[in-house]
Amino acid sequence: QAQLVESGGGSVQAGGSLRLSCEYTSETNCMGWFRQAPGAERERVAILYGDSGYIYYADSVKGRFTTSQEKDKNTLYLQLNSLQPEDTAMYYCAAGVGRTSCPTTVFKNWGPGTQVTVSS
């Protein structure tokens, strides 16, 4: 069972950048980033489909966030640029095993999260 730990969160002003890291113990074919703002549902941010190499981005972050992976370091990254107050949330790294896709339901292993706060 994969264990994951996020780091890199913090407080920035609008327009700023952060780089989140997620160290994991074992890789699965579905790995990604989610976020949850207070009072809101958890949402998918960026998902790596390991079998095909496809990367999904939520419309709200396309062109601003980029996810990448260093397999030799067992680390997943999320680069957050042009941050806006609406990006304020707890960000989670997750891993799961999917058959032909990576729906949220396959993500069984989650990190504790790292807080991102963006002020205007």
Side-chain angles (χ1 to χ4, degrees):
Q1 185 172 353
Q3 294 183 347
L4 309 99
V5 178
E6 306 91 340
S7 62
S11 297
V12 297
Q13 290 190 328
S17 298
L18 285 172
R19 188 193 196 199
L20 307 184
S21 298
C22 171
E23 294 186 33
Y24 54 86
T25 56
S26 60
E27 183 181 356
T28 57
N29 68 333
C30 295
M31 301 197 71
W33 294 92
F34 296 75
R35 67 185 181 185
Q36 187 168 21
E41 293 186 358
R42 188 173 295 185
E43 64 172 326
R44 296 157 64 93
V45 175
I47 308 296
L48 281 77
Y49 289 60
D51 293 340
S52 66
Y54 171 71
I55 301 177
Y56 161 88
Y57 290 102
D59 287 342
S60 57
V61 308
K62 279 181 182 177
R64 300 189 300 122
F65 292 8
T66 303
T67 191
S68 59
Q69 188 178 24
E70 282 194 274
K71 294 189 176 186
D72 58 338
K73 294 184 178 180
N74 276 14
T75 303
L76 191 66
Y77 301 100
L78 185 67
Q79 179 68 40
L80 293 72
N81 296 329
S82 302
L83 282 162
Q84 299 301 316
E86 53 265 35
D87 295 317
T88 295
M90 184 71 79
Y91 284 70
Y92 299 91
C93 177
V97 179
R99 289 189 173 182
T100 59
S101 63
C102 298
T104 300
T105 51
V106 306
F107 288 89
K108 304 298 185 184
N109 301 303
W110 295 80
T114 187
Q115 178 68 38
V116 172
T117 302
V118 185
S119 57
S120 58

